[in-house]
Amino acid sequence: MLRSLPKLSFLFSSTRNPHYLASAHRFASKGRTIRRPASRVKIGVTTRVPIRSMSTSTNSPVIASEMAAEDQVQVQQVKLLTSTIDDYGGVIVELDQPMDSATFIPILRASVSHWKQLGKKGVWIKLPIHLVSLVESLVKEGFWYHHAEPAYLMLVYWIPESPSTIPANATHRVGIGSFVMNAKQEVLVVQENSGKFQGTGVWKFPTGVVDQGEDICVAAVREVKEETGVDSEFVEVLAFRQSHNSFFEKSDLFFMCMLRPLSSDIQVQRLEIQGAKWMPFEEYAAQPFVQTSDLLKHINDICLAKIDGQYPGFSPKSTSSNFSDQKNYLYLNAGTLKRSNSS
Amino acid sequence: MLRSLPKLSFLFSSTRNPHYLASAHRFASKGRTIRRPASRVKIGVTTRVPIRSMSTSTNSPVIASEMAAEDQVQVQQVKLLTSTIDDYGGVIVELDQPMDSATFIPILRASVSHWKQLGKKGVWIKLPIHLVSLVESLVKEGFWYHHAEPAYLMLVYWIPESPSTIPANATHRVGIGSFVMNAKQEVLVVQENSGKFQGTGVWKFPTGVVDQGEDICVAAVREVKEETGVDSEFVEVLAFRQSHNSFFEKSDLFFMCMLRPLSSDIQVQRLEIQGAKWMPFEEYAAQPFVQTSDLLKHINDICLAKIDGQYPGFSPKSTSSNFSDQKNYLYLNAGTLKRSNSS
């Protein structure tokens, strides 16, 4: 189906497309203002479309359809928005300079007409929050919301007659829980100051949310340190759970991790944690909130199997791709793999 | 750290908080308009704040600070926005009725003042795209963007003096790749019509993106069917890779899955797939694009170990929680667990 076409492309662009990565990194620099003159067409270096300078007459309302019909005449009279191209037939515009709608609309229409002539499909406009006054104009011109972050709103427009194949935004939040056990078979547990467990007396494994751009194996160690002061090293992912509608309409991936403690002294982070301690595993497992939870009983079984040395999880292996310098972690059953390869 | 406080809460709200889930499901129904009179305060049933009806005088600009000072006088003169509360000290407003800024601003200010008196912290305003004319007013009143979907923009405001603990939006996109092998040790491979592999002659495993609200084990079977016409059943997750800055600034989780074929006839979906066929695994593995990719070589080793029956992955187990009717999949090393428990 069409919808999976661009999603596939974007999926693979993640490590195989330095040009797109560059864009992604630029998008990642929140709040950074990019000073570019808006008075000429700037096309990414990978395109063969000739660069044309154009004189200015921004007050004449240039209708896109007219532009298409009388390109040679009109195109000499209007500014076009500065854009870069992506590898999927789209153009990306990052606005920064304040502009009123009366000035902006003709430039936008002329630009869309120009991109249409170039055979472009998707138009991405990244609008910093200080240019909020242009949001209504863009929506009235047929743009819609793609995603937003505190500092900007990303709007999109689809030029062709064919159905839009603009890919969806991020769909999942990622959380971690940490099983940290010492040589005395005591597990590191916390009581929370807030949320559903506040005041329940429940002792639970440290948990947290993986930050954007943060590796799961890094987040687990960070959260344990933040909540309890205990240093640890990541061992492996024991299991993971996917749930839906967990945060507005978004889905959730929760990774149950095993960590090896490197220190034992506990320093409770009072802001979010009521208490933290080392508790015999049996005592943790005997808590009613654990015994009455289908999910937590499964996790208990996994921890017990782990204690018996019977349960291989997925450990992180740093891998690279041919198309990017970026190192990524592949989580796999490495122990079993070694035995299999050496056998 | 503060930032992890609300994130934790939200993480656990996913399965433990029917009230919040109800909100989440309501948010999920894109485009649905919720007809509520805006002329009275509606507080969620879990709060103890008394419900007060108020008469109307929406043209007097009511400043929040004045409201705080002269509550008893002023509060009788203004409408308040209809809101529901969440379990984290926040209020959620879903606007629907068209309103001009002159009418909206005094009501907004009075509402914020009212919520402040109730000790509320975060204010969430879900603004459908047809109310785009109110975006600028909200930003000028101190609201900022939280997230956006095609049909709406979610804006947030933090009432207290303390730093905002509004949690971040979804951070990850999720993709799958499918290892589908028949009894002749032939793997199901495809050539893509687009993206980085277009025209390269590379034969690769079917891949795709997991839709919002879709289970990984369902997405893998769906993509194989869509791209090749082959029916299959999900066996397990063999490994997963986390990468960053893959889609704008978002991260990516890619799950390598093993599926068992239930049919063999191939029907290529020409829209995104150039060709599909059953190829001897050795022939697939010998392709230069596989041999030169660190990541794909690891995945090859895993597939080989799997062929030898040496590699346990994570298989999905349907689990429930005490706090929700929702069934979720826990992916775990079930085979090893069984042996461990029975031993």
Side-chain angles (χ1 to χ4, degrees), chain B residues 22-36:
Chain B
S23 309
H25 284 298
R26 194 175 60 254
F27 273 92
S29 59
K30 284 210 196 76
R32 185 159 76 86
T33 57
I34 296 165
R35 305 273 167 219
R36 290 204 203 113

Side-chain angles (χ1 to χ4, degrees), chain B residues 6 38 43 50 58 75-76 89 112 115 120 133 145 169 177 209 212 214 219 240 246 280 326:
Chain B
I43 305 284
T58 56
V75 83
Q76 296 307 321
V112 169
W115 296 322
K120 298 301 172 192
S133 61
Y145 307 139
N169 188 27
V209 169
Q212 189 164 281
E214 183 179 37
F240 63 88
S246 67
Q326 194 180 23

Side-chain angles (χ1 to χ4, degrees), chain A residues 105-116:
Chain A
I105 294 302
I107 297 174
L108 174 68
R109 291 175 176 174
S111 302
V112 170
S113 169
H114 177 72
W115 296 322
K116 186 176 185 178

Side-chain angles (χ1 to χ4, degrees), chain B residues 245-258:
Chain B
N245 291 308
S246 67
F247 180 69
F248 300 112
E249 68 267 48
K250 299 297 182 178
S251 297
D252 186 282
L253 274 162
F254 179 77
F255 292 84
M256 191 61 221
C257 307
M258 182 180 183

Side-chain angles (χ1 to χ4, degrees), chain A residues 4 269 272 292 310 322 336, chain B residues 1 4 272 292 310 322 336:
Chain A
S4 56
Q269 186 230 105
E272 68 187 59
T292 54
Q310 297 292 315
N322 305 359
T336 313
Chain B
M1 291 165 55
S4 54
E272 67 187 62
T292 54
Q310 297 292 317
N322 306 358
T336 313

